[in-house]
Amino acid sequence: MIENMYDVKDKVAIVTGSSRGIGKQCALAFAEGGAKLVLNYVNNQEAAEITAEEVSALGSEAIIVQADVKDFEACQTLGEQAIKKYGKVDFLVNNAGINRDITFSRMSQEQWSEVVNTNLGALFNMCKAVVPHMRDAGSGVIISISSIIGETGNIGQSNYAATKSGMYGFTKSLARELAKDNIRVNTVSPGFVETDMLHTVPPDLLAGIKDDIPMGRFGYADEIALAVLYLCSTAGSWITGTNLSINGGHNM
Ligand code: NAP
């Protein structure tokens, strides 16, 4: 019984920003569970192609759609490509994200807008592209990757923190609106995870951060991906409007 609960065989998942990092591991977890993938990237085509090859090696299939999640029309196209190829979208993982860390006093309007439009604007864009299909199908799961920074705030991250906290309100509202359509909506909030993004943090700061994590290490991207798989699968069938924090005890 437990084995079947994590089965996502023949489901279709869109994972934004799945060329690298956490998004890539989400795609591979879905593939291992038997789901078909719509992979997405903005700049790094080669990395997206490698993810697609790894999906194939796991016995599943993927299409790659280049789209900037800041762009409403590009997200519409991303949704249309998924429907054209597979006829449905069961899972949407809003993972693509950026940071432009700088203290508020020095932050430009561009650094504010770029982060807000990428990290939070994308939720509007992607949900607009996908929710109508989920409603027609009578089911769906939407997961947005927030952050421990959305829970705690951080010096130099007022733009990033605003987007990650904003995801909670958006998610709870959508969860309430869409529960009647059997669409579940949740956030996952990772702590500091070993990806390219982590290495935008200066090394001396990183050492201090690691010391503050009770489990004494950064997370691995697959530790986040497995939680996403859990929330999307039958094992998570009564979970909506909530946030799952995964951070090695960093925010108790
Ligand atoms: P990453 O390694 O930097 O990868 C970012 C991914 O997002 C790449 O696939 C990138 O595509 C894609 N992307 C960036 N901007 C995009 C855009 N405008 N449109 C479409 N795709 C875009 O990041 P990560 O660490 O895996 O982070 C993934 C998510 O987890 C983010 O939302 C991040 O905020 C969140 N998170 C990360 C950590 C952490 O410690 N790593 C902690 C908490 C939360 P290209 O390859 O084409 O550039």
Side-chain angles (χ1 to χ4, degrees):
M1 180 186 91
I2 290 173
E3 198 181 320
N4 291 343
M5 287 212 156
Y6 292 87
D7 190 356
V8 288
K9 193 162 167 37
D10 296 327
K11 301 288 187 184
V12 174
I14 299 179
V15 184
T16 65
S18 39
S19 45
R20 296 184 282 125
I22 291 170
K24 173 177 180 166
Q25 290 306 317
C26 289
L28 297 181
F30 282 130
E32 216 171 314
K36 298 168 186 171
L37 271 303
V38 180
L39 304 175
N40 158 255
Y41 70 100
V42 63
N43 292 317
N44 206 330
Q45 183 178 348
E46 197 183 333
E49 284 168 0
I50 292 169
T51 306
E53 283 165 19
E54 292 180 30
V55 166
S56 297
L58 289 165
S60 189
E61 61 177 302
I63 57 167
I64 302 172
V65 184
Q66 192 278 344
D68 183 340
V69 294
K70 290 195 295 299
D71 181 336
F72 183 84
E73 292 304 330
C75 292
Q76 288 288 315
T77 305
L78 177 50
E80 283 160 14
Q81 292 290 314
I83 295 295
K84 189 173 163 205
K85 172 71 179 172
Y86 299 120
K88 62 172 184 169
V89 177
D90 297 293
F91 311 138
L92 166 64
V93 182
N94 291 309
N95 165 79
I98 58 166
N99 61 327
R100 297 288 181 265
D101 299 348
I102 189 161
T103 52
F104 176 72
S105 307
R106 295 189 298 139
M107 188 179 292
S108 65
Q109 199 201 348
E110 191 187 14
Q111 286 164 326
W112 169 263
S113 301
E114 196 184 357
V115 172
V116 169
N117 295 340
T118 304
N119 296 5
L120 192 55
L123 269 60
F124 177 82
N125 296 344
M126 284 307 303
C127 289
K128 277 287 188 186
V130 163
V131 165
H133 301 291
M134 289 181 168
R135 292 185 76 177
D136 286 349
S139 66
V141 185
I142 300 167
I143 308 291
S144 298
I145 307 297
S146 179
S147 168
I148 188 173
I149 303 302
E151 299 170 316
T152 64
N154 198 19
I155 291 171
Q157 293 198 294
S158 57
N159 49 0
Y160 185 83
T163 65
K164 297 302 184 179
S165 300
M167 286 181 175
Y168 301 141
F170 179 82
T171 293
K172 286 186 251 189
S173 303
L174 233 60
R176 287 180 186 277
E177 288 184 22
L178 300 177
K180 64 181 185 316
D181 297 301
N182 193 31
I183 300 171
R184 297 186 292 107
V185 194
N186 294 294
T187 52
V188 169
S189 296
F192 290 79
V193 177
E194 289 278 9
T195 67
D196 295 341
M197 182 181 277
L198 186 71
H199 296 290
T200 64
V201 180
D204 53 325
L205 282 182
L206 271 187
I209 291 167
K210 197 193 263 187
D211 287 345
D212 285 343
I213 302 173
M215 288 188 71
R217 66 169 175 86
F218 298 122
Y220 303 118
D222 59 354
E223 293 176 308
I224 309 306
L226 288 170
V228 170
L229 183 67
Y230 160 62
L231 289 172
C232 288
S233 68
T234 310
S237 57
W238 207 43
I239 304 175
T240 198
T242 197
N243 173 55
L244 181 49
S245 302
I246 308 170
N247 53 41
H250 202 176
N251 183 30
M252 290 190 244

